[in-house]
Amino acid sequence: MAEYPQLLHTVIDTTDVRALAEFYRQLLGLRYRQGDEPPADGVADDADWLVLVDVNGARRLAFQQVERLERTTWPKHDIPMQMHLDCTVSSFEELQRQRERAESLGAQLLLDRSDHADEPLYVLADLSGHPFCIFVG
């Protein structure tokens, strides 16, 4: 039987590791991998790599510090999207609620397709400009 590589987690580049990890931690209800929690009050946060896990401890997302990151210009293609995350919700009402939550965490709306009959969705940008979708599915 052939062996295949197993996907561990998706890594997202950012110029502010803690801020972006915290954004997705709150948005997706994840938690920090043991040892990656924010430092105690008064201690400098020099994290350049953080991992978020689900309730079972499975790695979901990691964040890597980079010096410079050009924001995508999507839907224009001057600077392509390169990757994005898809998130689903159970109903149109939940779609509205999650858009509001994402924006309250600092997300920016890029596309409102909530009136689409077959697949209502929003495309938003996270704090580093990475697009992500929330749709009913």
Side-chain angles (χ1 to χ4, degrees):
M1 186 169 216
E3 181 176 331
Y4 296 97
Q6 299 299 305
L7 182 63
L8 180 62
H9 52 228
T10 300
V11 180
I12 302 174
D13 287 352
T14 180
T15 56
D16 190 338
V17 170
R18 181 65 66 191
L20 194 58
E22 190 61 18
F23 172 84
Y24 280 108
R25 185 191 68 78
Q26 291 182 46
L27 181 71
L28 301 175
L30 299 172
R31 59 187 171 92
Y32 288 104
R33 170 183 65 173
Q34 186 174 357
D36 284 356
E37 299 86 358
D41 289 338
V43 177
D45 190 350
D46 59 356
D48 61 359
W49 177 268
L50 295 171
V51 176
L52 294 177
V53 299
D54 64 19
V55 296
N56 298 316
R59 292 175 180 223
R60 294 296 177 206
L61 293 174
F63 305 89
Q64 174 176 265
Q65 183 76 28
V66 295
E67 269 189 47
R68 194 182 106 233
L69 183 68
E70 293 187 50
R71 291 178 77 103
T72 180
T73 55
W74 186 91
K76 297 177 185 173
H77 294 287
D78 299 327
I79 301 173
M81 193 182 299
Q82 299 180 7
M83 63 78 78
H84 71 275
L85 301 176
D86 282 342
C87 304
T88 62
V89 295
S90 60
S91 67
F92 183 78
E93 293 74 24
E94 193 61 20
L95 177 67
Q96 301 305 322
R97 190 174 83 76
Q98 294 302 329
R99 173 197 169 176
E100 291 171 10
R101 278 191 65 247
E103 289 177 323
S104 75
L105 295 170
Q108 176 186 13
L109 181 66
L110 298 178
L111 175 70
D112 179 345
R113 205 179 78 182
S114 59
D115 60 350
H116 192 276
D118 295 328
E119 188 179 64
L121 69 82
Y122 292 113
V123 180
L124 299 112
D126 67 24
L127 304 179
S128 291
H130 302 291
F132 65 96
C133 299
I134 303 175
F135 60 93
V136 178

